[in-house]
Amino acid sequence: MKIGIVTDSTSDLPPELVSKYDIEVIPLHVSMDNQHYLDGVDLSATQFYQRLKTSGPLPTTSQPSPGAFVECYRALLKKVDAILSIHITEALSGTIRTARMAREILPEANIQVVDSHSTSMGLGGLVLEAAQAVRRGMKIEEVSKLVTILREKVNFLVTLDTLEFIQKSGRVSALQAFFGSILQIKPLLKLVDGKVELVAKVRTRREAVARMLSEFKSKIAVETEGIIAVMHTAAEGEAEKLKAALQETFKNAEIIISQAGPVLGVHVGPGGLALISVPGAVSLL
């Protein structure tokens, strides 16, 4: 059985990996300065962060239409026998609900839709593990089960340079009281089961980055052979330093550095940094 892998643009997968594993990426939508864009298609991350400096009202985002999923699935089904569609957590976006609607429109097709409980390279790492499992010859039911196991083992830490964007986005209601009282704090946050939780409150950027690195190292086995991603939003220099620090500790891991796309940038703002780990599927065998 030939299996196709579909994800969405919030996975932040580097283009070379999308090409290497023949992954289909469905873009979300970004509205900015009264213009509408497809995330990563006609608005790149670099363009977005440059324009964000001078844009008017806060940009907005929206999920793909059911038709976009149906079109993608139908085209892919001409080349494969089954599809595994893995997407951003339902806690942060309605994208996966739309994917399920599209699956119902194509009841004769073997399409399995999985909530990653994550986003950015938490999602992207799961997609890569799924693609590698497919290449090893695993059946679609086995790969789907593998993703649901791995998603509970993802570690996802993030620190923000500004709370303005995440507060205005309204996507993390559980932290609204915190945001309203101490906007100058640099928070350390984690994503657990798709939900944002507060780990620590620090006063300076330097302390926040150091605390994130320390917390991350305490959670991950030194010998891990999984995927570690350093994500950033217009903070490449700091991201490169974090990658170098991680390479000194995690000698066997595949360490990826990437800039988060426009959809996540709308809610995070510039200066965001994240450390994400996805354990290797082989470690579970």
Side-chain angles (χ1 to χ4, degrees), residues 1 8 25 28 32 35-36 52 74-75 100 116-117 119 125 129-130 153 165 179 190 199 222 226-227 243 246-247 270:
M1 174 183 287
D8 60 74
V25 180
L28 274 73
M32 189 176 197
Q35 297 184 60
H36 303 285
L52 190 62
R74 281 180 172 158
R100 290 170 180 150
S116 69
H117 288 183
T119 188
E129 289 295 339
K153 301 179 183 296
F165 293 85
F179 291 148
K190 64 180 178 180
V199 176
V222 172
I227 295 167
K243 181 181 179 180
L246 291 169
Q247 286 174 324

Side-chain angles (χ1 to χ4, degrees), residues 80-154:
V80 301
D81 305 301
I83 293 173
L84 183 61
S85 201
I86 311 169
H87 298 285
I88 179 175
T89 171
E90 191 170 8
L92 295 178
S93 172
T95 298
I96 195 163
R97 292 194 296 273
T98 308
R100 290 170 180 150
M101 289 172 60
R103 180 187 60 192
E104 295 303 315
I105 294 171
L106 302 169
E108 74 286 353
N110 186 356
I111 302 172
Q112 297 201 21
V113 178
V114 179
D115 186 334
S116 69
H117 288 183
S118 195
T119 188
S120 190
M121 276 298 295
L123 163 59
L126 292 174
V127 171
L128 291 178
E129 289 295 339
Q132 291 167 5
V134 166
R135 291 198 171 183
R136 291 196 299 271
M138 292 179 70
K139 298 177 181 179
I140 188 168
E141 294 80 10
E142 296 172 327
V143 181
S144 179
K145 182 178 180 180
L146 173 67
V147 172
T148 62
I149 293 172
L150 289 176
R151 72 185 181 186
E152 306 309 318
K153 301 179 183 296
V154 171

Side-chain angles (χ1 to χ4, degrees), residues 9-284:
S9 60
T10 70
S11 60
D12 290 330
L13 284 165
E16 62 271 18
L17 293 178
V18 170
S19 177
K20 177 180 178 179
Y21 291 103
D22 296 321
I23 297 164
E24 295 291 332
V25 180
I26 296 181
L28 274 73
H29 300 260
V30 180
S31 295
M32 189 176 197
D33 295 331
N34 297 315
Q35 297 184 60
H36 303 285
Y37 303 94
L38 294 177
D39 181 20
V41 176
D42 46 23
L43 181 66
S44 71
T46 299
Q47 291 169 331
F48 170 76
Y49 293 113
Q50 288 176 342
R51 290 184 55 183
L52 190 62
K53 298 174 185 177
T54 58
S55 68
L58 184 71
T60 59
T61 63
S62 58
Q63 64 209 43
S65 67
F69 278 95
V70 170
E71 182 180 351
C72 175
Y73 290 160
R74 281 180 172 158
L76 189 54
L77 286 166
K78 294 177 181 179
K79 300 181 288 184
V80 301
D81 305 301
I83 293 173
L84 183 61
S85 201
I86 311 169
H87 298 285
I88 179 175
T89 171
E90 191 170 8
L92 295 178
S93 172
T95 298
I96 195 163
R97 292 194 296 273
T98 308
R100 290 170 180 150
M101 289 172 60
R103 180 187 60 192
E104 295 303 315
I105 294 171
L106 302 169
E108 74 286 353
N110 186 356
I111 302 172
Q112 297 201 21
V113 178
V114 179
D115 186 334
S116 69
H117 288 183
S118 195
T119 188
S120 190
M121 276 298 295
L123 163 59
L126 292 174
V127 171
L128 291 178
E129 289 295 339
Q132 291 167 5
V134 166
R135 291 198 171 183
R136 291 196 299 271
M138 292 179 70
K139 298 177 181 179
I140 188 168
E141 294 80 10
E142 296 172 327
V143 181
S144 179
K145 182 178 180 180
L146 173 67
V147 172
T148 62
I149 293 172
L150 289 176
R151 72 185 181 186
E152 306 309 318
K153 301 179 183 296
V154 171
N155 282 280
F156 194 128
L157 292 172
V158 58
T159 186
L160 309 179
D161 192 44
T162 173
L163 292 171
E164 174 189 359
F165 293 85
I166 197 169
Q167 183 190 36
K168 288 181 177 178
S169 76
R171 295 298 177 92
V172 284
S173 57
L175 302 179
Q176 287 304 311
F178 162 68
F179 291 148
S181 59
I182 39 179
L183 284 175
Q184 300 308 310
I185 291 293
K186 308 293 184 185
L188 178 60
L189 307 171
K190 64 180 178 180
L191 193 63
V192 180
D193 293 331
K195 298 178 181 179
V196 180
E197 297 181 3
L198 179 66
V199 176
K201 299 175 287 186
V202 296
R203 292 285 177 182
T204 68
R205 171 75 163 188
R206 187 176 194 178
E207 185 182 356
V209 174
R211 178 69 183 270
M212 179 173 65
L213 182 59
S214 174
E215 187 83 12
F216 186 80
K217 286 183 176 181
S218 73
K219 301 290 185 183
I220 313 300
V222 172
E223 65 273 11
T224 182
E225 296 180 357
I227 295 167
I228 294 177
V230 183
M231 304 301 302
H232 70 94
T233 56
E236 185 174 4
E238 289 175 295
E240 290 286 359
K241 291 178 181 178
L242 280 171
K243 181 181 179 180
L246 291 169
Q247 286 174 324
E248 292 179 1
T249 301
F250 303 103
K251 304 292 187 182
N252 302 322
E254 179 182 359
I255 301 178
I256 298 169
I257 185 169
S258 185
Q259 182 163 238
V263 166
L264 293 179
V266 166
H267 305 290
V268 172
L273 289 167
L275 297 179
I276 306 165
S277 71
V278 179
V282 175
S283 67
L284 303 179

